[in-house]
Amino acid sequence: MEDIDTKCTAIRAQITATESQLAALKEELEAAERLRGASAPTSSKHSERKWPLSAEEYQRYGRQMIVSQIGLPGQLKLRSASVLLVGAGGLGCPAALYLAGAGVGTVGMVDGDTVEASNLHRQVLHRTKNVGKYKVDSAIEYLEELNPHPKYCAHREHLSPQNAPGIFQNYDIILDCTDNPATRYLISDTAVLLGKPLVTASALRTDGQLMVLNNPPKPPGDLSGGPCYRCVFPKPPPADTVVSCADGGILGPVVGTMGVLQALETIKVLVKSVDQSSDDRPSLHIFSAYSNPPFRTIRLRGRRTNCAVCSSEPTITLSTLQSGSTDYVQFCGSARFPQVLSKDERVSVREFEPIYDSKKYSLIDVRDPVQFGICNLENSINIPITQILQDRTFDNKDPKETLRSLLPPELTSTDSTDPIYFVCRMGNDSQLAVQKLRQLGFDQDGRRFIGDIRGGLKAWKAEVDPEWPEY
C-alpha cells in the first residue's frame, strides 16, 4: 500500500511539473503570436498598430531589450513570469531590486522578520524609518517606487513544511535567500517536488557561493533533471560549525554581489529559448572578495540515484513534507550551545559587577582581536579562544606550556590564588576556555577559582552598562 501511495505522489509531482512546462510553452506561444500580430501589415494606413508593450515599458526596458540574449521575446517572458524570493535580507534585497527593475511580472517575498538597525548596512531595500516594520512590507514599499508595473506579493511568515508547497505552487522559479541549512533543505525539497527551478546563494564574512539547482526541473526519478541541494550536500554540516552573519560578520558588498548574481541567473533561466545555446551544466560558483581572481567555478555532478527527494524511489514526498514527518531541524541538528560548566563555575554579570570594581582578579576576553578592538572591559586581557583550545603548535610544544606562554606570569604563578574570569560575547566560548584551563590544572587542584561570566558581554549591556556598544 505504501508503494502505491509513493507512486501516486510521484505521478502527481510529474503532472505538476508537466503542467508548469505546458504553461511556460503557452506563454511563449502567446508572446510569439503577439509579435506576429504586431508585424503583420495593417489593412488601412489609419488603423492603430498594436504593440505588445506600453510606450512607457519600451522606454523603461529599452536598454535591456536591445541585448541580443533578451530582445522583445525575452522581455515578454519576464513580464509573464512569477518569481518567489525566500528571505528579504542581504541576498533577497539586491536580487528583488534587479528582478523588479528588469520587469518581472510578479515578485513574491517570504519573510517573517522585521527590520533591525543592524540590517541596514547590507539589506539595501530597507531604510532607517522602517526599523520595526515587516521586511517584506519594507522591501515592497521600495520596489513599488522603483517600478510600479510588477505585481508584488508579501508573505509575512516564516517558511515551514506545511506552508511551503502552497506558497511555491504559484511561482515559476524560486530564489533561496536564507541563511540556515534547515530552511535550505526545505526550499530545495519543495522546489523539486513542485517542479520549480531554484537559484540558491549564501554569503559570510568576505565569501559567497551560488548554484542553480533543479534546472531543468524534471520530476523525481528523471536523471536528466538538474541536481538538487541534497544531491550536492547529502549531509548537512555539523550544527556547531554553522556560523551566522551575527556571529561571523558580513561585508555588505559581498552579500550584495551574491544577490545580484542570483537575479542574473534567474533572468537567464526565465528568458532562455529552446534554440539559445548556453552551458547549463550545474556548477558551484565561489566568490572570495580577497582572492585573486575573486571568482572560481566547480562543476557539479548530476542527480544522485539515491537522493532522498529526486531519485526514482524518494523518501521525501509532498505528503511526508506536509504531514510534518520530515523534521528539518532534527536533520540539521540543534545549534544550541551545550552547558559545559556547573552552576558553581559561573557567575552572573550582577555578581561580577562588585568584583570588577575591586580589581582583585584576572579577566580574560576570548573574543577575536577584531571584536576586542571594538569594545572591551577595562583591564581585560585578550586571548582568543582559538589559541586557548589549540592542542599543539607547529613546534610540538606541550599544550600546557603553550597556554602558559600566552598567559601573563601572575596567572600561571603557583603562589597566586587570585580568581580568573573568562568572558566572551554570548557566554559560550568562555565556558570552553574555563574547561580547558581546568583540564590543564591551572586551578591548582581547586585552590584557585576559574570561572566565566554567564551571558557574556551581551548580558553585561542588558543588566549593568546600557551604554555598552552592541554590534
Side-chain angles (χ1 to χ4, degrees), residues 53 55 76 143 237 242 252 337 368 426:
L53 298 175
L76 292 172
L143 296 174
V242 177
F337 194 90
D368 62 61
M426 300 285 193

Side-chain angles (χ1 to χ4, degrees), residues 349-362:
V349 290
R350 289 292 188 187
E351 293 170 330
F352 181 72
E353 187 178 5
I355 300 173
Y356 178 63
D357 294 334
S358 71
K359 296 184 173 60
K360 294 181 179 179
Y361 61 91
S362 294

Side-chain angles (χ1 to χ4, degrees), residues 132-147:
K133 195 172 185 176
Y134 273 112
K135 285 187 177 181
V136 290
D137 293 333
S138 172
I140 289 174
E141 179 183 308
Y142 189 109
L143 296 174
E144 286 176 334
E145 294 179 4
L146 171 71
N147 190 353

Side-chain angles (χ1 to χ4, degrees), residues 141-412:
E141 179 183 308
Y142 189 109
L143 296 174
E144 286 176 334
E145 294 179 4
L146 171 71
N147 190 353
H149 293 291
K151 175 185 176 183
Y152 300 104
C153 302
H155 302 275
R156 303 172 190 88
E157 55 191 316
H158 294 291
L159 201 70
S160 70
Q162 289 71 36
N163 66 17
I167 296 174
F168 282 26
Q169 66 182 357
N170 298 317
Y171 295 90
D172 299 322
I173 188 169
I174 312 299
L175 278 73
D176 178 357
C177 305
T178 62
D179 61 358
N180 70 86
T183 307
R184 292 189 183 283
Y185 282 101
L186 168 60
I187 293 170
S188 176
D189 292 350
T190 309
V192 171
L193 295 174
L194 294 179
K196 313 290 184 181
L198 171 65
V199 183
T200 179
S202 63
L204 182 68
R205 299 188 180 100
T206 61
D207 303 318
Q209 296 182 352
L210 173 76
M211 294 181 290
V212 180
L213 301 172
N214 197 40
N215 183 44
K218 301 295 184 179
D222 189 338
L223 296 180
S224 67
C228 70
Y229 197 78
R230 287 183 185 271
C231 293
V232 182
F233 303 110
K235 294 182 179 180
D240 58 359
T241 66
V242 177
V243 181
S244 67
C245 291
D247 294 328
I250 182 68
L251 195 59
V254 172
V255 71
T257 297
M258 305 317 298
V260 170
L261 289 175
Q262 277 187 284
L264 174 60
E265 292 299 327
T266 302
I267 291 173
K268 286 166 62 178
V269 172
L270 290 174
V271 306
K272 185 192 175 189
S273 60
V274 177
D275 60 347
Q276 200 174 63
S277 60
S278 66
D279 188 356
D280 279 342
R281 288 179 296 176
S283 301
L284 169 64
H285 304 288
I286 300 174
F287 172 75
S288 183
Y290 285 88
S291 294
N292 189 19
F295 286 97
R296 60 191 178 99
T297 298
I298 300 173
R299 294 295 182 189
L300 300 176
R301 295 178 179 178
R303 287 184 169 182
R304 289 179 178 265
T305 55
N306 61 344
C307 178
V309 69
C310 65
S311 67
S312 57
E313 297 181 355
T315 57
I316 298 174
T317 63
L318 284 175
S319 59
T320 64
L321 195 72
Q322 294 180 301
S323 68
S325 60
T326 303
D327 191 329
Y328 289 90
V329 175
Q330 183 182 30
F331 174 67
C332 293
S334 173
R336 293 180 180 177
F337 194 90
Q339 299 298 314
V340 299
L341 299 182
S342 67
K343 183 179 179 181
D344 295 337
E345 296 172 308
R346 313 192 74 189
V347 297
S348 69
V349 290
R350 289 292 188 187
E351 293 170 330
F352 181 72
E353 187 178 5
I355 300 173
Y356 178 63
D357 294 334
S358 71
K359 296 184 173 60
K360 294 181 179 179
Y361 61 91
S362 294
L363 177 61
I364 300 176
D365 189 323
V366 299
R367 294 175 297 160
D368 62 61
V370 173
Q371 294 189 51
F372 185 79
I374 294 174
C375 54
N376 57 78
L377 292 173
E378 186 178 356
N379 297 324
S380 60
I381 304 166
N382 183 217
I383 305 177
I385 187 65
T386 52
Q387 295 184 22
I388 293 175
L389 296 182
Q390 62 184 351
D391 289 329
R392 62 181 64 240
T393 58
F394 62 89
D395 54 4
N396 294 319
K397 285 184 178 179
D398 177 79
K400 186 171 183 178
E401 290 304 314
T402 300
L403 190 54
R404 189 185 299 274
S405 67
L406 297 173
L407 299 171
E410 62 269 20
L411 269 66
T412 60

Side-chain angles (χ1 to χ4, degrees), residues 86-156:
V86 184
L91 293 167
C93 283
L97 189 67
Y98 278 95
L99 290 171
V104 171
T106 302
V107 177
M109 303 188 80
V110 184
D111 201 315
D113 290 339
T114 56
V115 179
E116 300 177 1
S118 61
N119 303 147
L120 300 178
H121 87 281
R122 67 192 183 280
Q123 300 180 14
V124 293
L125 290 182
H126 309 309
R127 288 163 287 182
T128 303
K129 70 173 186 178
N130 284 343
V131 169
K133 195 172 185 176
Y134 273 112
K135 285 187 177 181
V136 290
D137 293 333
S138 172
I140 289 174
E141 179 183 308
Y142 189 109
L143 296 174
E144 286 176 334
E145 294 179 4
L146 171 71
N147 190 353
H149 293 291
K151 175 185 176 183
Y152 300 104
C153 302
H155 302 275
R156 303 172 190 88

